[in-house]
Structures are given as C-alpha cells and as structure tokens.
Amino acid sequence: MAKLFCGIDWAEHHHDVAVVDGSGVRVAKARITNDAAGLRTLLELLAEVGDHPGEPIPVAIEKPHGLLVASLRVTGRKVFAINPCAVSRYRGRHGMAGKKSDEQDALTLANILRTDMAAHRPLPADSDLARAITVLARAQQDAVWDRIQLGQRIRSLLHDYYAAGLEAFAHLRNGGVTKAEARVILALAPTPARAATLTRGQIRAALKRAGRARHVEQDVERLHQIFRAEHMRVPRPVEQAMGHQLTALLGQLEATCTAEQDLATAVGQAFTQHPDAAIIISFPGVGPLVGARILAELGDDRTRFADARGLKAYAGSAPVTRASGRSLHIMNRKVKNDRLAAAGYVWAFAALRPSPGARAHYDRRRNADDPHTAALRHLFNRLIGCLYHCLQARKTYDETTAFPPRLAAAA
C-alpha cells in the first residue's frame, strides 16, 4: 500500500484537510467542522483512502494542543505540530507569487511530512498524568509571571502619586508590593490622604490579617511615621482617581496570588503521584514545584529525545556553534523551551549550596571569566545531562557519579 500523509489547516470554526500519496498527488481533500461530527468525517475520510490501525496515516497540523489534536492522538497515529513560520517557508517551494489559502496550507502540511518527516518530531506519547502535570505547572508558572507583572505595574503607579507607599515596603524583596502585608495595607489605604489617617491599631490589625507574627510593634511604629511624614502630593482629584486604579490592580493581584497558591498545591499533589518524581527530586536544588516544572516540559516519553545532547539543546543549555571559513562563533542558544530554561536557572542556583560538586563546577566556570548567568547555564547543562541518564536508567541522583572526585579536584 502506498504511503499516505495528511495535513490539516486548523481554524476556529472549521479545518481544511488534504491527503497526499508518496509522489505528492492529492488523493483526498475536505473541509470539516470543529466538532464531533467533523472529527467523525475526518476519520471516515482517512479510512476511505487506506487508514487502518496497523499503519495509521500521520497527521501534520500547526496547533500542538486542543480537542482535535487530543482526539487524533487517541487513535494512536503520529501527530506532528509544525511551526507556522516553518509552514510559511515551505509554502515558497510551490510558488513565488505569495498566494495563500487554507486548502493550499493543508496540502503544504501534508507535503512537509512526505518530504521531511524525518526532520520533524511527532508529539510525545506522554502519559495522562504527565500531561495533567504540564497543564498545572504551566498555569502556576503563568500565575507567577502575572504576579510579577502586576507588582511592577503597581510599583510604577505608586511612583506617580504615592511615595509613602513605596517607602513603606522598600525593605521587602523586589519592593514588596506583592507581599501579603503590602497588599493588605495598600488596600486599606489606597491614597496618601487615607494612609495619613490610619491609627496604630488599624495598622496593627492589618499586619496581623496578613499573617505577621514577629516584630509587629516595630513595623506599626515605622509605618505610622512614614504615612504621617511629609511627601510630595498630586492634586486631590487626581490622587483619588489613582487610588481607584490602585484598588483595581490590587484586586487583580489578590486573585492572582490566590490562584498561584492553589495551583502550586494542585501541581505538588499531582507531581508526587508520578513515578519519575522520586528521581527528579533526588537531585540537589530540586523541590516539588521546580521538579514539577521540569517534568512538565520533559514529559515521560523516553523516546522523545534520542540522547542527552538533544535534551540539552531543547533546554537551551547547550551552546550554538556557527562556523564558516575562518569564522567561528559560539553563542547562547536563543531557540529553546523558555519554561524549562527558567526552571533550570532556579535549579542550578539552588544546587550550589547542597551539592559540593555543583559548587565546584560553578566556581570553575567563574574562574574562567564566565559571568554568573553563563556559569549557571553551564551547571544546568551538566545537571540536565545527568537527569537524562538517571531517567533512562531509573536511578536516583548520586553526587560522586555526577561530579567525580577527580573532576571536583580539578575544579
């Protein structure tokens, strides 16, 4: 039977489908709806042209997730998520006029598999639990990023009209406006005028609502003096308007902080149920949350990466070499999994204290004139290579294997 390839141009309400044979001849095409009836039409179309369980027709689509993709994966076929930028470049093979249509894009996707399937990787066959951890870990990471962004917006707003609010929480990390005590105080007094009227009792009660138990009286007195001190002020109507804006932002921040905590609990519970969790958290510097983020991006399909080098490139820890003639440049990898790279930075930094080998590796890179971030990236590169081998061999982390004494001595 001739080899067949399917391309699907995804859209919100409908999808264009094209099936080609090994010579590039289109043997079927259709436009299906984005519902169960459309999926049934697609499967019937594939069955008519030769699809069967023993050799399911591979599918190329620009979207890596969603109901259609999940339904196709259930059938056991390989699904390839092709980047839209790559599709646009392949489109130029078939014409220079720059024309585009949904039907033509489906045909282009099918031909990508026909000519270059070996250059693309199918979506990994992760377990349902691993995919659930991916959803939760990414949502929790998004909530963290949202909290940071809202904190920056609030700080920017306070700079414009509320100098006392900035001074009150400047001692806390990153300005402190996202901390519970700052959120409670600012919600109680969103304007300098309101803050100046706060009594010591009100400040004390607000700090206790935020969970403060130590040095409360010292902070009560300090905040009381700051709010009563003289500061530059904007006109009162403008101040009140900005106070309303601050209240709105604080409401968003409160919801984001709650979501972040709830998602952290959920992802921690799911992560501990996964069989890879014990291996991942055996590494120094990896706790349940960072471990869940790492597992979320690696998945549990052992065939996803051919070797540790592929995983390092995916994580962005391996450098890129560009050589042409006498020119040779070694650069940081820009195209990578940003979420895994972010988790790797936290992992490498946290590993410096509990792991003597990691510390020696970092110090060696620093002594070689690497900046802090580059030294951590080198350390992450080594750690994730160790993780790859531990997951393949089903073994937990061993310090002497990861950083042999001779290497530690050389460092």
Side-chain angles (χ1 to χ4, degrees):
M1 181 179 295
K3 190 69 174 177
L4 298 173
F5 309 90
C6 176
I8 301 177
D9 183 69
W10 186 93
E12 184 175 355
H13 301 295
H14 65 266
H15 317 299
D16 282 86
V17 181
V19 181
V20 301
D21 61 16
S23 61
V25 176
R26 182 167 54 191
V27 298
K29 69 174 183 177
R31 170 167 286 188
I32 62 174
T33 54
N34 186 26
D35 53 21
L39 175 64
R40 185 165 53 252
T41 301
L42 171 61
L43 296 179
E44 290 173 353
L45 173 68
L46 295 178
E48 289 174 1
V49 297
D51 186 51
H52 59 88
E55 191 178 0
I57 297 174
V59 174
I61 189 171
E62 293 176 319
K63 189 177 177 67
H65 49 75
L67 290 172
L68 178 62
V69 174
S71 300
L72 288 171
R73 296 181 70 180
V74 169
T75 64
R77 71 187 69 250
K78 291 183 178 180
V79 179
F80 294 79
I82 310 297
N83 190 289
C85 293
V87 177
S88 67
R89 291 179 174 87
Y90 273 102
R91 195 181 298 125
R93 288 185 176 186
H94 306 285
M96 301 301 295
K99 64 179 181 178
K100 181 187 182 303
S101 68
D102 294 343
E103 180 181 330
Q104 186 66 31
D105 282 352
L107 184 61
T108 300
L109 284 162
N111 278 308
I112 289 175
L113 292 188
R114 180 179 66 86
T115 60
D116 295 318
M117 187 166 68
H120 298 276
R121 291 185 298 181
L123 294 175
D126 294 327
S127 66
D128 291 342
L129 178 57
R131 292 166 64 187
I133 292 171
T134 300
V135 172
L136 292 170
R138 289 180 176 177
Q140 199 276 338
Q141 180 70 81
D142 288 340
V144 172
W145 288 336
D146 289 343
R147 171 177 56 79
I148 294 173
Q149 184 181 51
L150 283 168
Q152 292 171 341
R153 290 177 62 186
I154 290 173
R155 279 180 52 81
S156 177
L157 179 62
L158 294 177
H159 268 291
D160 289 340
Y161 86 107
Y162 199 165
L166 283 176
E167 183 182 348
F169 307 108
H171 67 290
L172 298 177
R173 188 179 179 183
N174 298 325
V177 293
T178 62
K179 303 296 183 181
E181 59 192 86
R183 302 199 308 268
V184 171
I185 296 287
L186 291 175
L188 183 63
T191 64
R194 178 70 182 93
T197 65
L198 291 179
T199 64
R200 291 180 176 83
Q202 290 173 319
I203 297 174
R204 184 182 300 107
L207 291 176
K208 290 183 177 179
R209 286 199 305 273
R212 282 290 303 275
R214 301 177 59 187
H215 310 298
V216 174
E217 293 304 323
Q218 296 178 12
D219 258 7
V220 167
E221 191 60 35
R222 182 182 62 83
L223 291 173
H224 189 261
Q225 292 179 4
I226 291 174
F227 291 147
R228 295 295 180 95
E230 183 179 356
H231 298 279
M232 292 186 295
R233 302 273 290 273
V234 298
R236 187 174 184 83
V238 178
E239 181 179 287
Q240 291 178 344
M242 288 183 166
H244 285 298
Q245 183 182 1
L246 176 60
T247 300
L249 289 175
L250 288 171
Q252 297 177 42
L253 178 60
E254 193 66 38
T256 300
C257 291
T258 302
E260 177 187 340
Q261 295 170 3
D262 293 344
L263 287 167
T265 301
V267 72
Q269 293 173 349
F271 175 67
T272 55
Q273 299 174 21
H274 198 280
D276 288 348
I279 298 175
I280 295 175
I281 63 176
S282 69
F283 278 73
V286 179
L289 186 55
V290 173
R293 292 177 182 172
I294 294 171
L295 176 60
E297 304 309 320
L298 298 186
D300 55 7
D301 181 0
R302 294 290 175 263
T303 64
R304 182 176 186 180
F305 302 100
D307 52 28
R309 292 176 61 186
L311 174 56
K312 291 176 179 180
Y314 178 72
S317 59
V320 174
T321 301
R322 299 187 65 178
S324 178
R326 298 182 179 180
S327 174
L328 176 65
H329 297 284
I330 300 176
M331 304 175 296
N332 299 338
R333 189 176 295 269
K334 302 299 182 182
V335 179
K336 60 183 182 297
N337 184 313
D338 292 329
R339 293 179 183 272
L340 182 55
Y345 181 90
V346 176
W347 174 15
F349 186 75
L352 295 178
R353 179 171 295 180
S355 170
R359 183 75 213 193
H361 188 92
Y362 171 84
D363 290 340
R364 179 170 62 86
R365 297 306 310 181
R366 292 288 282 158
N367 292 335
D369 294 331
D370 278 359
H372 171 69
T373 53
L376 286 182
R377 186 170 58 251
H378 277 283
L379 177 57
F380 172 47
N381 191 57
R382 185 172 185 85
L383 289 172
I384 201 167
C386 295
L387 177 60
Y388 174 84
H389 292 293
C390 286
L391 290 173
Q392 294 290 335
R394 306 304 303 168
K395 294 181 179 179
T396 56
Y397 173 82
D398 181 75
E399 178 78 10
T400 57
T401 303
F403 300 97
R406 59 182 181 85
L407 292 182

